Amino acid sequence: MAENQQKSEVAKREEEVLAFWDEREIFKKSIEKEALKGEYVFYDGPPFATGLPHYGHIVASVLKDVVPRYRTMQGYRVPRVWGWDCHGLPIENIVEKELGFKHKKDIRAYGIEKFNEMCRQRVLTYVHEWERIIPRIGRWADMEHAYKTMDMPFMESVWWVFKSIYDKGLVYEDYRVMHICPRCETTLSQQEVSEGYKDVKDIAVSVSFKLKNPEKIGLSGEVYLLAWTTTPWTLPGNVALAVGEGIIYRVFERDGKKYIAALDRSESLGIQDQKMGHQFMGKELVGLEYEPLFDYYVTDEHLKNRENGWKVYAADFVTADEGTGIAHEAPAFGADDWALLKKYNLPFVQHVNYDGTFKPEVKAFAGMEVKPLGEDSVRLAADIAVLKYLQEHGFLFAKQNIVHSYPHCWRCDSPLLNYATSSWFVKVEEQKVELLKNAEPINWSPEHVKSGRWGKWLEGARDWSISRQRFWASVLPIWVCETCKEKRVFGSAAELEAASGKKVTDLHKHVVDEILVPCACGGSMKRVPDVLDTWFDSGSMPYGEEHYPFENKESFEHTFPAQFIAEGQDQTRAWFYYLHLLGTSLFDKNAFQNVIVNGIVLAEDGKKMSKRLQNYPDPMEVVEKYGADALRLYLLASPVMQAENLNFSEKGVAEWKGVLTRLENVLSFYQLYRNELVHEASDESAQVLDRWIVARLRQTQAEVTSAMEAYNLTAATRPFAALVDDLSTWYLRRSRDRIKGDDEADKKAALATTLYVLREVSKLIAPFAPFVADYIWQALKETGDVESVHLAHWPSAPSARFLSKLFGGAADQNIEHMTLARGFVTQALEAREKAGIKVRQPLSLLTIPADSNLPEEYFTIVAEEVNVKRVESKGETVALDTNLTDELREEGVVRDAIREIQSFRKERGLKPGEHATYKGEFSDVQRKVIEKNLDLIQKATTTTIEL
């Protein structure tokens, strides 16, 4: 909190409520109380504790708090054990930065054990801050017994998951082109790659490859094939050119040289006006040989399949939509290129190291990084160097700057490379039918995510690369014999202990890599060096949290799948997906039944929230200023709960604080008069206002419950503002005189109804605004009540039949009639304003349409609100008689005098019945009227008037 910002009264009161919960262990009691409906399982995606919670965490925490609170009040037991995500690149990058490391080799030199232990120490840096902030926003979670993905029980369950799907034949090793991060030196999955696309400037080049045998197609002299690429750095690895069999190519001349390119690319290449030559179909070019641009590999006699290199091949992925219609093929750096290599047994040339640097044999560029992180001048340095080489050797035909979408590392922001390497995969495509079948019953909020973002990702999902070449993570529990290559997969620490004869107390890389397992052949088995993608940890969360199947086997199997999960929309491709994939792989089940997907909180101007720009208020400062309840209600009622973006506005939080203040004012007014008359909470009053506010309460109960059952938190939250407004600015304002008055029966009915409504509102709003809910409950708690509103039962709206019997008509008629009456009031007040007559000046008559069917019991309410003597139902429109008689004018003066004296008393803090003297300045007309009505005015105000 800023030093100059005072903590608000509402924030202080919330902290008192929080202290009450802690002292009385209310959360613990809510878990331990009788749950007639059984267990409601909620999976909570564990966050990293490497930074403080931001608005994204708060949004997720609020919605993850509302649903469990609601289900608890409905009679379920809802365990809420917190978890910490501990593994992976986020913490590795932090430690690397702290140690000043630039490359993976720095970690090896430092020592993997020391590095991993430092990760273990640093990963929970901000835990204590989280343990302070999360409860302060009203979220209940068992943070004391939090599971950690780095703890051995969790990691052992991950091993069990891996072995289970391995034994089902769903895991395999393959060599293929994948995205890697050259700085982190690891492969990435399809989902990880999808997170990091950015528009960047790159250089596209058209390069001329000289044909060795142009006579094969009836040409002579210097003939060149024009190929196009946006990755000049891959050109030293070129081993083939590809054409489309059905594409028409033509020859054109420039500077005495002949070039071949697709006919449809003539204009874009600027050659449409050049001298025309022969035309060929792509299939006629197949088999032509050309001279390599670089001689680093063509002379290597040991290069496998060298005889198939540097020729033209047909490929169905080649089009004439861009470039030259001829593709440069470097199979080590492209999936299509790799497929061509496999099909035609092309030579494999990989001229770039795994760390993204040119290999020593690429003499002109040896050691250069091909795509380093940095400004354009740095990032494009290798491309520019290759460009200069091509220009100097006469191979560069054209170049252009382009802007296109390019993938970057989701953690370190480095440009990624397509790179042929070995990886372990989980079969996804083979399970596609089961994945789609199991996804069908899942309920999504908002609904469009199901067939949209989630459904489309699921349909297009490919096999999952699960191995990473890093250090701080769960490991691949695969041991391979160095002699016979036999593999053995372990699913528990006990299995490894039995096979190796070594005690296993930690399952991290630096420990298990030292454990050798004897092989039946007499050799020794050693673990494969890779670790698991940390999303494998995340997808294994349901099992790791329970240490399944080593503990809690029966209870887990009874409650799987979870009834509810929630996260941001980016998790449709991540956590939601991996949970579903592993649930299907293990049990052929969906892992969850209901999902809420939230959007992103942006700064008020629509830009990304930035600490550097300071374009958003600190969340905890907002809590200290407006209270956590107001922040919660603002977020819950906003589009962010419907997977849409929210431009955060303090004004919106302030508006919800105003709603809660009005609710508290109702409570304060009730407490002033609570002890004047013995009464109990009741919803059975026949008085029209009482019937109406109870009907509005019932209506809101039904709306909120229906929306909560549909997991639509926005629709569940918004009705509160209207209910509180009706309770405060209409019901209570219209009932003040009843509560202050001498009619004991009417006063008792108003007090009993107000008490009933406040108690029910306290329960209804409890999951959404837990602090104010318990504040109201504690103020109104009676003998026999539960200790906290959060231990109470959810209010159930009565049936229509009951309401009809109770009110002598359908409940919605009370609402309809009151809405009609308020509409007439609005029209009448507009007529007053138009006539320039203030509301305090009485008028004689208001007429309302004869066909309105408004019951006469509402006429008094309308008359008092509009300040008219009577209301009549006649005619076709609302009409106000604005003629002022002397009697009406005199009554207006008396009312003004009473109002002025009451304001005087209020300013001086005088209590009702406490005598005072008032000396005011009045006009002659006012003086005469006041003298005439002096006894009436003095009695009404308990004030002596000196004229």
Side-chain angles (χ1 to χ4, degrees):
M1 186 173 68
E3 291 182 6
N4 60 351
Q5 180 180 317
Q6 294 296 317
K7 186 180 294 187
S8 66
E9 289 304 312
V10 68
K12 293 176 185 176
R13 192 183 68 221
E14 287 183 347
E15 290 177 356
E16 291 173 3
V17 174
L18 191 61
F20 166 76
W21 291 343
D22 290 343
E23 180 185 337
R24 303 292 182 89
E25 296 185 318
I26 303 299
F27 171 47
K28 183 180 179 182
K29 289 174 181 176
S30 77
I31 300 292
E32 294 176 348
K33 74 184 182 75
E34 185 180 20
L36 296 177
K37 292 188 178 180
E39 192 143 317
Y40 181 91
V41 177
F42 154 59
Y43 292 158
D44 187 6
F48 264 101
T50 51
L52 294 174
H54 52 64
Y55 279 105
H57 294 118
I58 290 174
V59 166
S61 274
V62 168
L63 70 89
K64 291 175 184 180
D65 187 59
V66 172
V67 174
R69 283 183 184 272
Y70 168 71
R71 294 298 180 186
T72 298
M73 293 181 74
Q74 281 197 316
Y76 291 95
R77 178 178 177 270
V78 190
R80 278 156 275 178
V81 178
W82 190 268
W84 295 112
D85 197 354
C86 303
H87 286 147
L89 283 173
I91 183 60
E92 284 198 30
N93 288 167
I94 288 171
V95 172
E96 283 181 282
K97 187 174 181 179
E98 186 177 331
L99 294 172
F101 294 168
K102 300 295 183 184
H103 301 283
K104 197 160 77 169
K105 63 184 179 183
D106 299 333
I107 298 173
R108 295 190 184 282
Y110 180 74
I112 296 172
E113 180 178 357
K114 286 169 63 180
F115 180 79
N116 275 359
E117 290 304 327
M118 194 164 180
C119 287
R120 197 195 303 268
Q121 293 169 18
R122 297 293 188 271
V123 75
L124 299 177
T125 301
Y126 291 95
V127 161
H128 295 306
E129 288 300 301
W130 280 77
E131 289 173 341
R132 176 182 66 85
I133 292 172
I134 294 302
R136 181 60 191 88
I137 61 173
R139 183 177 178 189
W140 276 354
D142 183 358
M143 303 183 85
E144 183 180 350
H145 303 101
Y147 69 87
K148 305 178 188 70
T149 61
M150 66 182 178
D151 288 347
M152 186 162 167
F154 190 100
M155 295 179 71
E156 186 172 36
S157 290
V158 171
W159 278 30
W160 172 83
V161 171
F162 182 87
K163 186 176 190 301
S164 297
I165 63 174
Y166 183 91
D167 289 346
K168 290 185 175 187
L170 294 175
V171 178
Y172 66 96
E173 186 181 20
D174 195 16
Y175 196 92
R176 63 176 65 168
V177 173
M178 305 172 59
H179 280 98
I180 68 162
C181 173
R183 197 216 71 84
C184 299
E185 293 185 52
T186 187
T187 52
L188 289 91
S189 69
Q190 176 193 8
Q191 175 271 326
E192 289 172 310
V193 173
S194 72
E195 287 190 28
Y197 275 90
K198 299 178 184 179
D199 285 341
V200 297
K201 186 173 80 172
D202 259 323
I203 303 171
V205 295
S206 296
V207 182
S208 52
F209 292 81
K210 187 177 181 181
L211 284 178
K212 286 184 175 181
N213 49 352
E215 64 277 1
K216 277 194 171 185
I217 52 172
L219 298 176
S220 60
E222 293 188 31
V223 182
Y224 296 85
L225 294 170
L226 279 186
W228 181 80
T229 182
T230 59
T231 53
W233 61 268
T234 63
L235 287 167
N238 171 269
V239 297
L241 296 176
V243 296
E245 282 191 320
I247 296 175
I248 300 173
Y249 295 87
R250 75 164 208 179
V251 179
F252 65 92
E253 292 189 22
R254 176 187 283 182
D255 301 328
K257 296 178 181 178
K258 299 182 182 73
Y259 297 92
I260 299 175
L263 176 63
D264 288 349
R265 303 305 301 162
S266 299
E267 187 173 346
S268 64
L269 288 168
I271 58 175
Q272 69 272 26
D273 298 324
Q274 299 291 328
K275 182 178 178 182
M276 294 290 291
H278 294 74
Q279 289 190 3
F280 304 94
M281 295 301 294
K283 61 184 179 182
E284 297 178 68
L285 303 178
V286 172
L288 293 176
E289 298 181 47
Y290 63 89
E291 296 178 3
L293 301 178
F294 302 89
D295 61 1
Y296 304 132
Y297 299 100
V298 69
T299 57
D300 183 359
E301 295 181 359
H302 301 290
L303 181 63
K304 187 179 179 181
N305 299 324
R306 185 174 62 137
E307 66 279 5
N308 296 330
W310 300 279
K311 295 179 181 178
V312 178
Y313 293 88
D316 55 12
F317 56 78
V318 179
T319 71
D321 295 337
E322 60 183 356
T324 64
I326 301 176
H328 133 69
E329 300 300 305
F333 309 101
D336 288 335
D337 309 43
W338 180 257
L340 201 70
L341 175 144
K342 301 281 280 187
K343 183 176 182 179
Y344 294 112
N345 294 317
L346 300 179
F348 177 69
V349 170
Q350 195 165 48
H351 65 287
V352 175
N353 292 307
Y354 203 64
D355 65 357
T357 58
F358 284 111
K359 290 182 176 178
E361 63 263 31
V362 187
K363 296 184 174 59
F365 320 109
M368 286 188 72
E369 293 184 65
V370 300
K371 278 287 181 186
L373 173 64
E375 299 296 324
D376 287 349
S377 59
V378 174
R379 185 174 55 82
L380 297 175
D383 285 338
I384 292 170
V386 172
L387 213 67
K388 287 180 179 177
Y389 177 95
L390 296 173
Q391 197 163 26
E392 291 169 0
H393 291 77
F395 299 140
L396 182 64
F397 181 84
K399 66 180 177 71
Q400 64 179 125
N401 291 328
I402 61 167
V403 175
H404 64 157
S405 185
Y406 193 91
H408 293 70
C409 180
W410 66 285
R411 284 311 307 175
C412 74
D413 219 28
S414 297
L416 303 182
L417 305 181
N418 265 313
Y419 196 89
T421 187
S422 176
S423 182
W424 290 84
F425 295 86
V426 170
K427 294 178 182 178
V428 175
E429 291 156 78
E430 184 177 294
Q431 301 185 78
K432 192 69 65 71
V433 172
E434 289 79 11
L435 288 167
L436 293 171
K437 176 200 70 177
N438 291 334
E440 191 53 39
I442 300 172
N443 171 54
W444 291 81
S445 179
E447 189 178 358
H448 66 78
V449 177
K450 180 172 184 173
S451 59
R453 194 179 181 97
W454 160 261
K456 286 181 171 54
W457 178 261
L458 211 54
E459 288 171 2
R462 300 194 297 271
D463 287 2
W464 173 21
S465 167
I466 56 170
S467 54
R468 299 291 179 269
Q469 297 70 50
R470 296 299 300 184
F471 308 99
W472 179 243
S474 290
V475 302
L476 281 165
I478 305 172
W479 269 252
V480 179
C481 178
E482 295 176 308
T483 305
C484 71
K485 305 306 178 187
E486 179 71 18
K487 294 184 181 68
R488 185 165 178 184
V489 177
F490 295 98
S492 69
E495 288 179 22
L496 181 58
E497 287 180 350
S500 66
K502 300 288 182 65
K503 183 66 178 173
V504 180
T505 57
D506 189 343
L507 298 180
H508 283 97
K509 177 180 173 65
H510 61 280
V511 176
V512 295
D513 280 3
E514 300 301 315
I515 298 176
L516 302 180
V517 175
C519 182
C521 75
S524 183
M525 287 183 156
K526 191 173 184 180
R527 196 191 70 83
V528 298
D530 290 356
V531 298
L532 281 164
D533 178 4
T534 51
W535 284 111
F536 203 95
D537 275 4
S538 303
S540 301
M541 169 261 152
Y543 325 107
E545 177 187 21
E546 298 289 334
H547 193 208
Y548 178 85
F550 309 100
E551 296 180 72
N552 308 304
K553 190 174 189 297
E554 186 176 342
S555 61
F556 174 83
E557 291 172 359
H558 180 68
T559 57
F560 183 84
Q563 282 104 319
F564 171 60
I565 62 171
E567 286 293 344
Q569 58 185 333
D570 56 319
Q571 298 303 315
T572 52
R573 300 178 176 185
W575 189 50
F576 299 154
Y577 168 64
Y578 295 119
L579 280 174
H580 185 66
L581 173 58
L582 291 181
T584 296
S585 299
L586 291 167
F587 305 115
D588 193 20
K589 287 184 180 180
N590 49 330
F592 47 87
Q593 296 171 342
N594 300 283
V595 196
I596 297 178
V597 184
N598 65 267
I600 300 170
V601 181
L602 303 172
E604 192 166 6
D605 59 5
K607 295 179 180 176
K608 185 177 179 181
M609 288 186 167
S610 165
K611 287 184 180 179
R612 181 178 59 83
L613 296 176
Q614 296 184 331
N615 60 351
Y616 67 95
D618 181 274
M620 295 315 294
E621 288 185 12
V622 172
V623 168
E624 301 291 68
K625 186 175 181 181
Y626 303 102
D629 281 340
L631 176 60
R632 286 169 66 110
L633 290 168
Y634 168 66
L635 295 173
L636 287 165
S638 76
V640 80
M641 292 295 164
Q642 288 291 299
E644 297 179 25
N645 291 345
L646 169 67
N647 294 356
F648 186 86
S649 169
E650 262 194 81
K651 183 181 177 183
V653 183
E655 288 172 354
W656 274 102
K657 181 178 183 292
V659 171
L660 296 177
T661 299
R662 288 195 292 277
L663 180 59
E664 292 155 15
N665 289 341
V666 175
L667 173 65
S668 297
F669 182 83
Y670 168 77
Q671 288 177 305
L672 281 176
Y673 298 92
R674 180 182 189 179
N675 297 321
E676 290 191 5
L677 203 62
V678 176
H679 63 279
E680 294 180 354
S682 173
D683 62 346
E684 297 183 3
S685 170
Q687 203 274 348
V688 62
L689 275 166
D690 297 340
R691 294 204 322 262
W692 169 74
I693 195 61
V694 170
R696 279 288 293 116
L697 173 67
R698 297 283 186 257
Q699 182 186 49
T700 305
Q701 286 173 342
E703 290 174 349
V704 173
T705 303
S706 175
M708 286 301 294
E709 289 302 311
Y711 293 85
N712 187 335
L713 302 193
T714 303
T717 306
R718 288 179 178 174
F720 288 118
L723 177 64
V724 170
D725 188 61
D726 284 348
L727 176 63
S728 171
T729 63
W730 188 255
Y731 174 77
L732 185 63
R733 188 168 59 79
R734 294 295 320 134
S735 298
R736 282 177 185 272
D737 290 341
R738 297 170 61 205
I739 293 172
K740 293 178 181 179
D742 298 326
D743 184 336
E744 284 198 2
D746 194 34
K747 180 173 186 170
K748 185 175 182 179
L751 286 170
T753 302
T754 303
L755 175 59
Y756 176 80
V757 172
L758 281 171
R759 283 170 61 88
E760 292 300 296
V761 168
S762 170
K763 289 185 278 187
L764 195 62
I765 206 169
F768 307 86
F771 292 104
V772 73
D774 226 359
Y775 170 72
I776 294 171
W777 185 260
Q778 300 307 321
L780 303 178
K781 193 166 63 173
E782 298 173 348
T783 303
D785 281 340
V786 290
E787 190 175 7
S788 163
V789 71
H790 301 294
L791 302 178
H793 293 296
W794 180 254
S796 56
S799 66
R801 182 179 178 185
F802 176 82
L803 291 172
S804 179
K805 182 180 177 182
L806 177 63
F807 295 129
D812 60 359
Q813 285 188 338
N814 293 278
I815 297 171
E816 181 183 334
H817 290 153
M818 192 63 78
T819 301
L820 191 61
R822 294 175 76 174
F824 292 151
V825 168
T826 299
Q827 293 180 62
L829 293 177
E830 288 172 353
R832 271 186 174 276
E833 187 176 0
K834 188 174 181 181
I837 302 173
K838 295 179 179 179
V839 178
R840 63 175 177 262
Q841 172 61 60
L843 294 174
S844 59
L845 177 66
L846 172 70
T847 60
I848 62 176
D851 62 357
S852 67
N853 297 319
L854 183 69
E856 288 191 9
E857 61 183 335
Y858 290 85
F859 284 18
T860 302
I861 295 173
V862 175
E864 291 176 354
E865 278 294 306
V866 181
N867 196 9
V868 296
K869 297 297 181 181
R870 69 185 188 281
V871 175
E872 294 181 0
S873 178
K874 64 181 181 179
E876 297 180 356
T877 60
V878 175
L880 184 68
D881 184 354
T882 57
N883 292 319
L884 290 173
T885 64
D886 289 343
E887 183 181 352
L888 290 171
R889 292 181 190 279
E890 184 175 301
E891 185 176 338
V893 170
V894 170
R895 290 193 178 215
D896 281 348
I898 291 174
R899 186 187 299 271
E900 187 174 326
I901 293 168
Q902 286 175 334
S903 296
F904 159 80
R905 293 179 61 84
K906 187 175 182 180
E907 288 173 1
R908 282 154 181 76
L910 297 173
K911 298 177 181 178
E914 187 176 347
H915 191 269
T917 300
Y918 178 75
K919 185 175 183 180
E921 295 183 5
F922 305 103
S923 67
D924 291 340
V925 173
Q926 289 174 319
R927 188 182 298 274
K928 288 179 181 179
V929 174
I930 291 171
E931 286 177 345
K932 182 179 176 181
N933 297 277
L934 188 61
D935 289 344
L936 172 68
I937 298 171
Q938 290 185 151
K939 185 178 180 181
T941 60
T942 323
T943 302
T944 300
I945 301 174
E946 294 184 1
L947 295 172

